[in-house]
mmCIF file with all atom_site columns, all heavy atoms in Angstrom:
data_model
loop_
_atom_site.group_PDB
_atom_site.id
_atom_site.type_symbol
_atom_site.label_atom_id
_atom_site.label_alt_id
_atom_site.label_comp_id
_atom_site.label_asym_id
_atom_site.label_entity_id
_atom_site.label_seq_id
_atom_site.pdbx_PDB_ins_code
_atom_site.Cartn_x
_atom_site.Cartn_y
_atom_site.Cartn_z
_atom_site.occupancy
_atom_site.B_iso_or_equiv
_atom_site.pdbx_formal_charge
_atom_site.auth_seq_id
_atom_site.auth_comp_id
_atom_site.auth_asym_id
_atom_site.auth_atom_id
_atom_site.pdbx_PDB_model_num
ATOM 1   N N   . GLY A 1 240 ? 4.929   5.514   6.930  1.00 0.00 ? 240 GLY A N   1
ATOM 2   C CA  . GLY A 1 240 ? 4.385   5.062   8.204  1.00 0.00 ? 240 GLY A CA  1
ATOM 3   C C   . GLY A 1 240 ? 3.979   6.087   9.108  1.00 0.00 ? 240 GLY A C   1
ATOM 4   O O   . GLY A 1 240 ? 3.715   7.270   8.732  1.00 0.00 ? 240 GLY A O   1
ATOM 5   N N   . PRO A 1 241 ? 3.964   5.801   10.425 1.00 0.00 ? 241 PRO A N   1
ATOM 6   C CA  . PRO A 1 241 ? 3.490   6.863   11.418 1.00 0.00 ? 241 PRO A CA  1
ATOM 7   C C   . PRO A 1 241 ? 4.364   8.109   11.470 1.00 0.00 ? 241 PRO A C   1
ATOM 8   O O   . PRO A 1 241 ? 3.746   9.182   11.686 1.00 0.00 ? 241 PRO A O   1
ATOM 9   C CB  . PRO A 1 241 ? 3.698   6.115   12.794 1.00 0.00 ? 241 PRO A CB  1
ATOM 10  C CG  . PRO A 1 241 ? 3.699   4.647   12.432 1.00 0.00 ? 241 PRO A CG  1
ATOM 11  C CD  . PRO A 1 241 ? 4.274   4.517   11.057 1.00 0.00 ? 241 PRO A CD  1
ATOM 12  N N   . ASN A 1 242 ? 5.617   8.053   11.047 1.00 0.00 ? 242 ASN A N   1
ATOM 13  C CA  . ASN A 1 242 ? 6.435   9.304   11.009 1.00 0.00 ? 242 ASN A CA  1
ATOM 14  C C   . ASN A 1 242 ? 6.016   10.189  9.897  1.00 0.00 ? 242 ASN A C   1
ATOM 15  O O   . ASN A 1 242 ? 5.988   11.417  10.042 1.00 0.00 ? 242 ASN A O   1
ATOM 16  C CB  . ASN A 1 242 ? 7.949   8.920   10.782 1.00 0.00 ? 242 ASN A CB  1
ATOM 17  C CG  . ASN A 1 242 ? 8.474   8.059   11.919 1.00 0.00 ? 242 ASN A CG  1
ATOM 18  O OD1 . ASN A 1 242 ? 8.174   8.353   13.129 1.00 0.00 ? 242 ASN A OD1 1
ATOM 19  N ND2 . ASN A 1 242 ? 9.393   7.162   11.599 1.00 0.00 ? 242 ASN A ND2 1
ATOM 20  N N   . LEU A 1 243 ? 5.530   9.653   8.779  1.00 0.00 ? 243 LEU A N   1
ATOM 21  C CA  . LEU A 1 243 ? 4.913   10.450  7.723  1.00 0.00 ? 243 LEU A CA  1
ATOM 22  C C   . LEU A 1 243 ? 3.599   10.976  8.021  1.00 0.00 ? 243 LEU A C   1
ATOM 23  O O   . LEU A 1 243 ? 3.239   12.196  7.875  1.00 0.00 ? 243 LEU A O   1
ATOM 24  C CB  . LEU A 1 243 ? 4.857   9.622   6.374  1.00 0.00 ? 243 LEU A CB  1
ATOM 25  C CG  . LEU A 1 243 ? 4.191   10.376  5.228  1.00 0.00 ? 243 LEU A CG  1
ATOM 26  C CD1 . LEU A 1 243 ? 5.018   11.519  4.721  1.00 0.00 ? 243 LEU A CD1 1
ATOM 27  C CD2 . LEU A 1 243 ? 4.028   9.360   4.009  1.00 0.00 ? 243 LEU A CD2 1
ATOM 28  N N   . ARG A 1 244 ? 2.713   10.081  8.612  1.00 0.00 ? 244 ARG A N   1
ATOM 29  C CA  . ARG A 1 244 ? 1.358   10.548  8.987  1.00 0.00 ? 244 ARG A CA  1
ATOM 30  C C   . ARG A 1 244 ? 1.371   11.459  10.115 1.00 0.00 ? 244 ARG A C   1
ATOM 31  O O   . ARG A 1 244 ? 0.487   12.350  10.206 1.00 0.00 ? 244 ARG A O   1
ATOM 32  C CB  . ARG A 1 244 ? 0.509   9.290   9.314  1.00 0.00 ? 244 ARG A CB  1
ATOM 33  C CG  . ARG A 1 244 ? 0.315   8.394   8.032  1.00 0.00 ? 244 ARG A CG  1
ATOM 34  C CD  . ARG A 1 244 ? -0.628  7.267   8.379  1.00 0.00 ? 244 ARG A CD  1
ATOM 35  N NE  . ARG A 1 244 ? -0.113  6.198   9.154  1.00 0.00 ? 244 ARG A NE  1
ATOM 36  C CZ  . ARG A 1 244 ? 0.556   5.204   8.629  1.00 0.00 ? 244 ARG A CZ  1
ATOM 37  N NH1 . ARG A 1 244 ? 0.748   5.072   7.339  1.00 0.00 ? 244 ARG A NH1 1
ATOM 38  N NH2 . ARG A 1 244 ? 1.038   4.203   9.360  1.00 0.00 ? 244 ARG A NH2 1
ATOM 39  N N   . GLY A 1 245 ? 2.391   11.460  11.002 1.00 0.00 ? 245 GLY A N   1
ATOM 40  C CA  . GLY A 1 245 ? 2.493   12.434  11.996 1.00 0.00 ? 245 GLY A CA  1
ATOM 41  C C   . GLY A 1 245 ? 2.756   13.875  11.513 1.00 0.00 ? 245 GLY A C   1
ATOM 42  O O   . GLY A 1 245 ? 2.384   14.794  12.170 1.00 0.00 ? 245 GLY A O   1
ATOM 43  N N   . SER A 1 246 ? 3.259   13.965  10.246 1.00 0.00 ? 246 SER A N   1
ATOM 44  C CA  . SER A 1 246 ? 3.541   15.219  9.690  1.00 0.00 ? 246 SER A CA  1
ATOM 45  C C   . SER A 1 246 ? 2.247   15.701  8.834  1.00 0.00 ? 246 SER A C   1
ATOM 46  O O   . SER A 1 246 ? 2.316   16.705  8.080  1.00 0.00 ? 246 SER A O   1
ATOM 47  C CB  . SER A 1 246 ? 4.735   15.142  8.740  1.00 0.00 ? 246 SER A CB  1
ATOM 48  O OG  . SER A 1 246 ? 5.898   14.877  9.494  1.00 0.00 ? 246 SER A OG  1
ATOM 49  N N   . GLY A 1 247 ? 1.222   14.931  8.928  1.00 0.00 ? 247 GLY A N   1
ATOM 50  C CA  . GLY A 1 247 ? -0.042  15.412  8.233  1.00 0.00 ? 247 GLY A CA  1
ATOM 51  C C   . GLY A 1 247 ? -0.324  14.794  6.899  1.00 0.00 ? 247 GLY A C   1
ATOM 52  O O   . GLY A 1 247 ? -1.306  15.276  6.235  1.00 0.00 ? 247 GLY A O   1
ATOM 53  N N   . VAL A 1 248 ? 0.428   13.858  6.488  1.00 0.00 ? 248 VAL A N   1
ATOM 54  C CA  . VAL A 1 248 ? 0.197   13.203  5.227  1.00 0.00 ? 248 VAL A CA  1
ATOM 55  C C   . VAL A 1 248 ? -0.566  11.907  5.375  1.00 0.00 ? 248 VAL A C   1
ATOM 56  O O   . VAL A 1 248 ? -0.086  10.978  6.035  1.00 0.00 ? 248 VAL A O   1
ATOM 57  C CB  . VAL A 1 248 ? 1.604   12.897  4.477  1.00 0.00 ? 248 VAL A CB  1
ATOM 58  C CG1 . VAL A 1 248 ? 1.309   12.298  3.092  1.00 0.00 ? 248 VAL A CG1 1
ATOM 59  C CG2 . VAL A 1 248 ? 2.438   14.120  4.345  1.00 0.00 ? 248 VAL A CG2 1
ATOM 60  N N   . GLU A 1 249 ? -1.747  11.871  4.854  1.00 0.00 ? 249 GLU A N   1
ATOM 61  C CA  . GLU A 1 249 ? -2.636  10.740  5.051  1.00 0.00 ? 249 GLU A CA  1
ATOM 62  C C   . GLU A 1 249 ? -2.324  9.677   4.001  1.00 0.00 ? 249 GLU A C   1
ATOM 63  O O   . GLU A 1 249 ? -3.026  9.492   3.030  1.00 0.00 ? 249 GLU A O   1
ATOM 64  C CB  . GLU A 1 249 ? -4.124  11.161  4.978  1.00 0.00 ? 249 GLU A CB  1
ATOM 65  C CG  . GLU A 1 249 ? -5.121  10.015  5.393  1.00 0.00 ? 249 GLU A CG  1
ATOM 66  C CD  . GLU A 1 249 ? -6.562  10.483  5.410  1.00 0.00 ? 249 GLU A CD  1
ATOM 67  O OE1 . GLU A 1 249 ? -6.775  11.708  5.490  1.00 0.00 ? 249 GLU A OE1 1
ATOM 68  O OE2 . GLU A 1 249 ? -7.404  9.620   5.310  1.00 0.00 ? 249 GLU A OE2 1
ATOM 69  N N   . TYR A 1 250 ? -1.254  9.011   4.215  1.00 0.00 ? 250 TYR A N   1
ATOM 70  C CA  . TYR A 1 250 ? -0.773  7.963   3.223  1.00 0.00 ? 250 TYR A CA  1
ATOM 71  C C   . TYR A 1 250 ? -0.647  6.638   3.945  1.00 0.00 ? 250 TYR A C   1
ATOM 72  O O   . TYR A 1 250 ? 0.288   6.584   4.910  1.00 0.00 ? 250 TYR A O   1
ATOM 73  C CB  . TYR A 1 250 ? 0.459   8.374   2.509  1.00 0.00 ? 250 TYR A CB  1
ATOM 74  C CG  . TYR A 1 250 ? 1.018   7.362   1.558  1.00 0.00 ? 250 TYR A CG  1
ATOM 75  C CD1 . TYR A 1 250 ? 0.394   7.175   0.287  1.00 0.00 ? 250 TYR A CD1 1
ATOM 76  C CD2 . TYR A 1 250 ? 2.038   6.589   1.786  1.00 0.00 ? 250 TYR A CD2 1
ATOM 77  C CE1 . TYR A 1 250 ? 0.780   6.262   -0.641 1.00 0.00 ? 250 TYR A CE1 1
ATOM 78  C CE2 . TYR A 1 250 ? 2.554   5.579   0.888  1.00 0.00 ? 250 TYR A CE2 1
ATOM 79  C CZ  . TYR A 1 250 ? 1.863   5.518   -0.312 1.00 0.00 ? 250 TYR A CZ  1
ATOM 80  O OH  . TYR A 1 250 ? 2.331   4.523   -1.254 1.00 0.00 ? 250 TYR A OH  1
ATOM 81  N N   . ASP A 1 251 ? -1.433  5.653   3.689  1.00 0.00 ? 251 ASP A N   1
ATOM 82  C CA  . ASP A 1 251 ? -1.298  4.389   4.258  1.00 0.00 ? 251 ASP A CA  1
ATOM 83  C C   . ASP A 1 251 ? -1.527  3.331   3.056  1.00 0.00 ? 251 ASP A C   1
ATOM 84  O O   . ASP A 1 251 ? -2.518  3.388   2.392  1.00 0.00 ? 251 ASP A O   1
ATOM 85  C CB  . ASP A 1 251 ? -2.429  4.204   5.282  1.00 0.00 ? 251 ASP A CB  1
ATOM 86  C CG  . ASP A 1 251 ? -2.326  2.943   6.146  1.00 0.00 ? 251 ASP A CG  1
ATOM 87  O OD1 . ASP A 1 251 ? -2.122  1.876   5.513  1.00 0.00 ? 251 ASP A OD1 1
ATOM 88  O OD2 . ASP A 1 251 ? -2.312  3.000   7.420  1.00 0.00 ? 251 ASP A OD2 1
ATOM 89  N N   . LEU A 1 252 ? -0.577  2.427   2.917  1.00 0.00 ? 252 LEU A N   1
ATOM 90  C CA  . LEU A 1 252 ? -0.653  1.491   1.831  1.00 0.00 ? 252 LEU A CA  1
ATOM 91  C C   . LEU A 1 252 ? -1.907  0.608   1.908  1.00 0.00 ? 252 LEU A C   1
ATOM 92  O O   . LEU A 1 252 ? -2.418  0.077   0.916  1.00 0.00 ? 252 LEU A O   1
ATOM 93  C CB  . LEU A 1 252 ? 0.641   0.609   1.746  1.00 0.00 ? 252 LEU A CB  1
ATOM 94  C CG  . LEU A 1 252 ? 1.869   1.246   1.267  1.00 0.00 ? 252 LEU A CG  1
ATOM 95  C CD1 . LEU A 1 252 ? 3.079   0.366   1.556  1.00 0.00 ? 252 LEU A CD1 1
ATOM 96  C CD2 . LEU A 1 252 ? 1.714   1.540   -0.219 1.00 0.00 ? 252 LEU A CD2 1
ATOM 97  N N   . ARG A 1 253 ? -2.409  0.417   3.168  1.00 0.00 ? 253 ARG A N   1
ATOM 98  C CA  . ARG A 1 253 ? -3.587  -0.420  3.266  1.00 0.00 ? 253 ARG A CA  1
ATOM 99  C C   . ARG A 1 253 ? -4.840  0.196   2.607  1.00 0.00 ? 253 ARG A C   1
ATOM 100 O O   . ARG A 1 253 ? -5.804  -0.391  2.288  1.00 0.00 ? 253 ARG A O   1
ATOM 101 C CB  . ARG A 1 253 ? -3.837  -0.697  4.765  1.00 0.00 ? 253 ARG A CB  1
ATOM 102 C CG  . ARG A 1 253 ? -2.815  -1.561  5.435  1.00 0.00 ? 253 ARG A CG  1
ATOM 103 C CD  . ARG A 1 253 ? -3.034  -1.542  6.898  1.00 0.00 ? 253 ARG A CD  1
ATOM 104 N NE  . ARG A 1 253 ? -2.909  -0.270  7.555  1.00 0.00 ? 253 ARG A NE  1
ATOM 105 C CZ  . ARG A 1 253 ? -3.171  -0.029  8.833  1.00 0.00 ? 253 ARG A CZ  1
ATOM 106 N NH1 . ARG A 1 253 ? -3.616  -0.937  9.664  1.00 0.00 ? 253 ARG A NH1 1
ATOM 107 N NH2 . ARG A 1 253 ? -3.068  1.251   9.314  1.00 0.00 ? 253 ARG A NH2 1
ATOM 108 N N   . LYS A 1 254 ? -4.745  1.578   2.491  1.00 0.00 ? 254 LYS A N   1
ATOM 109 C CA  . LYS A 1 254 ? -5.830  2.293   1.908  1.00 0.00 ? 254 LYS A CA  1
ATOM 110 C C   . LYS A 1 254 ? -5.472  2.696   0.476  1.00 0.00 ? 254 LYS A C   1
ATOM 111 O O   . LYS A 1 254 ? -6.290  2.635   -0.547 1.00 0.00 ? 254 LYS A O   1
ATOM 112 C CB  . LYS A 1 254 ? -6.128  3.644   2.681  1.00 0.00 ? 254 LYS A CB  1
ATOM 113 C CG  . LYS A 1 254 ? -6.756  3.418   3.990  1.00 0.00 ? 254 LYS A CG  1
ATOM 114 C CD  . LYS A 1 254 ? -8.264  3.308   3.880  1.00 0.00 ? 254 LYS A CD  1
ATOM 115 C CE  . LYS A 1 254 ? -8.918  3.401   5.200  1.00 0.00 ? 254 LYS A CE  1
ATOM 116 N NZ  . LYS A 1 254 ? -10.455 3.171   5.164  1.00 0.00 ? 254 LYS A NZ  1
ATOM 117 N N   . ALA A 1 255 ? -4.176  3.190   0.236  1.00 0.00 ? 255 ALA A N   1
ATOM 118 C CA  . ALA A 1 255 ? -3.752  3.683   -1.074 1.00 0.00 ? 255 ALA A CA  1
ATOM 119 C C   . ALA A 1 255 ? -3.602  2.551   -2.035 1.00 0.00 ? 255 ALA A C   1
ATOM 120 O O   . ALA A 1 255 ? -3.974  2.697   -3.268 1.00 0.00 ? 255 ALA A O   1
ATOM 121 C CB  . ALA A 1 255 ? -2.393  4.401   -0.931 1.00 0.00 ? 255 ALA A CB  1
ATOM 122 N N   . HIS A 1 256 ? -3.002  1.381   -1.626 1.00 0.00 ? 256 HIS A N   1
ATOM 123 C CA  . HIS A 1 256 ? -2.885  0.228   -2.467 1.00 0.00 ? 256 HIS A CA  1
ATOM 124 C C   . HIS A 1 256 ? -3.253  -0.964  -1.704 1.00 0.00 ? 256 HIS A C   1
ATOM 125 O O   . HIS A 1 256 ? -2.412  -1.785  -1.276 1.00 0.00 ? 256 HIS A O   1
ATOM 126 C CB  . HIS A 1 256 ? -1.388  0.113   -2.976 1.00 0.00 ? 256 HIS A CB  1
ATOM 127 C CG  . HIS A 1 256 ? -0.850  1.330   -3.678 1.00 0.00 ? 256 HIS A CG  1
ATOM 128 N ND1 . HIS A 1 256 ? -1.266  1.685   -4.950 1.00 0.00 ? 256 HIS A ND1 1
ATOM 129 C CD2 . HIS A 1 256 ? -0.019  2.278   -3.206 1.00 0.00 ? 256 HIS A CD2 1
ATOM 130 C CE1 . HIS A 1 256 ? -0.656  2.854   -5.227 1.00 0.00 ? 256 HIS A CE1 1
ATOM 131 N NE2 . HIS A 1 256 ? 0.132   3.216   -4.225 1.00 0.00 ? 256 HIS A NE2 1
ATOM 132 N N   . PRO A 1 257 ? -4.592  -1.209  -1.563 1.00 0.00 ? 257 PRO A N   1
ATOM 133 C CA  . PRO A 1 257 ? -4.989  -2.300  -0.671 1.00 0.00 ? 257 PRO A CA  1
ATOM 134 C C   . PRO A 1 257 ? -4.524  -3.714  -1.060 1.00 0.00 ? 257 PRO A C   1
ATOM 135 O O   . PRO A 1 257 ? -4.481  -4.024  -2.330 1.00 0.00 ? 257 PRO A O   1
ATOM 136 C CB  . PRO A 1 257 ? -6.565  -2.175  -0.804 1.00 0.00 ? 257 PRO A CB  1
ATOM 137 C CG  . PRO A 1 257 ? -6.818  -0.862  -1.361 1.00 0.00 ? 257 PRO A CG  1
ATOM 138 C CD  . PRO A 1 257 ? -5.660  -0.505  -2.180 1.00 0.00 ? 257 PRO A CD  1
ATOM 139 N N   . TYR A 1 258 ? -4.232  -4.502  -0.147 1.00 0.00 ? 258 TYR A N   1
ATOM 140 C CA  . TYR A 1 258 ? -3.865  -5.894  -0.376 1.00 0.00 ? 258 TYR A CA  1
ATOM 141 C C   . TYR A 1 258 ? -4.584  -6.804  0.604  1.00 0.00 ? 258 TYR A C   1
ATOM 142 O O   . TYR A 1 258 ? -5.157  -6.273  1.548  1.00 0.00 ? 258 TYR A O   1
ATOM 143 C CB  . TYR A 1 258 ? -2.294  -6.070  -0.259 1.00 0.00 ? 258 TYR A CB  1
ATOM 144 C CG  . TYR A 1 258 ? -1.704  -5.491  0.991  1.00 0.00 ? 258 TYR A CG  1
ATOM 145 C CD1 . TYR A 1 258 ? -1.468  -6.334  2.090  1.00 0.00 ? 258 TYR A CD1 1
ATOM 146 C CD2 . TYR A 1 258 ? -1.344  -4.231  1.075  1.00 0.00 ? 258 TYR A CD2 1
ATOM 147 C CE1 . TYR A 1 258 ? -0.859  -5.863  3.201  1.00 0.00 ? 258 TYR A CE1 1
ATOM 148 C CE2 . TYR A 1 258 ? -0.771  -3.644  2.296  1.00 0.00 ? 258 TYR A CE2 1
ATOM 149 C CZ  . TYR A 1 258 ? -0.591  -4.562  3.298  1.00 0.00 ? 258 TYR A CZ  1
ATOM 150 O OH  . TYR A 1 258 ? -0.005  -4.023  4.468  1.00 0.00 ? 258 TYR A OH  1
ATOM 151 N N   . LEU A 1 259 ? -4.547  -8.086  0.455  1.00 0.00 ? 259 LEU A N   1
ATOM 152 C CA  . LEU A 1 259 ? -5.304  -9.060  1.193  1.00 0.00 ? 259 LEU A CA  1
ATOM 153 C C   . LEU A 1 259 ? -6.755  -8.560  1.226  1.00 0.00 ? 259 LEU A C   1
ATOM 154 O O   . LEU A 1 259 ? -7.317  -8.303  0.205  1.00 0.00 ? 259 LEU A O   1
ATOM 155 C CB  . LEU A 1 259 ? -4.729  -9.212  2.635  1.00 0.00 ? 259 LEU A CB  1
ATOM 156 C CG  . LEU A 1 259 ? -3.282  -9.731  2.623  1.00 0.00 ? 259 LEU A CG  1
ATOM 157 C CD1 . LEU A 1 259 ? -2.662  -9.669  4.022  1.00 0.00 ? 259 LEU A CD1 1
ATOM 158 C CD2 . LEU A 1 259 ? -3.291  -11.142 2.096  1.00 0.00 ? 259 LEU A CD2 1
ATOM 159 N N   . VAL A 1 260 ? -7.387  -8.340  2.435  1.00 0.00 ? 260 VAL A N   1
ATOM 160 C CA  . VAL A 1 260 ? -8.830  -7.971  2.487  1.00 0.00 ? 260 VAL A CA  1
ATOM 161 C C   . VAL A 1 260 ? -8.977  -6.630  3.093  1.00 0.00 ? 260 VAL A C   1
ATOM 162 O O   . VAL A 1 260 ? -10.072 -6.334  3.670  1.00 0.00 ? 260 VAL A O   1
ATOM 163 C CB  . VAL A 1 260 ? -9.664  -9.019  3.270  1.00 0.00 ? 260 VAL A CB  1
ATOM 164 C CG1 . VAL A 1 260 ? -9.680  -10.388 2.468  1.00 0.00 ? 260 VAL A CG1 1
ATOM 165 C CG2 . VAL A 1 260 ? -9.068  -9.316  4.664  1.00 0.00 ? 260 VAL A CG2 1
ATOM 166 N N   . TYR A 1 261 ? -7.899  -5.780  3.112  1.00 0.00 ? 261 TYR A N   1
ATOM 167 C CA  . TYR A 1 261 ? -8.025  -4.519  3.748  1.00 0.00 ? 261 TYR A CA  1
ATOM 168 C C   . TYR A 1 261 ? -9.073  -3.653  3.091  1.00 0.00 ? 261 TYR A C   1
ATOM 169 O O   . TYR A 1 261 ? -9.645  -2.729  3.802  1.00 0.00 ? 261 TYR A O   1
ATOM 170 C CB  . TYR A 1 261 ? -6.702  -3.824  3.732  1.00 0.00 ? 261 TYR A CB  1
ATOM 171 C CG  . TYR A 1 261 ? -5.726  -4.267  4.764  1.00 0.00 ? 261 TYR A CG  1
ATOM 172 C CD1 . TYR A 1 261 ? -4.599  -4.898  4.487  1.00 0.00 ? 261 TYR A CD1 1
ATOM 173 C CD2 . TYR A 1 261 ? -6.014  -3.973  6.096  1.00 0.00 ? 261 TYR A CD2 1
ATOM 174 C CE1 . TYR A 1 261 ? -3.713  -5.346  5.485  1.00 0.00 ? 261 TYR A CE1 1
ATOM 175 C CE2 . TYR A 1 261 ? -5.155  -4.413  7.130  1.00 0.00 ? 261 TYR A CE2 1
ATOM 176 C CZ  . TYR A 1 261 ? -4.067  -4.997  6.836  1.00 0.00 ? 261 TYR A CZ  1
ATOM 177 O OH  . TYR A 1 261 ? -3.156  -5.475  7.816  1.00 0.00 ? 261 TYR A OH  1
#
Side-chain angles (χ1 to χ4, degrees):
N242 296 324
L243 176 66
R244 293 188 284 273
S246 297
V248 181
E249 189 176 340
Y250 179 75
D251 189 313
L252 286 169
R253 295 171 296 173
K254 290 278 191 182
H256 305 285
Y258 51 95
L259 297 175
V260 292
Y261 278 113

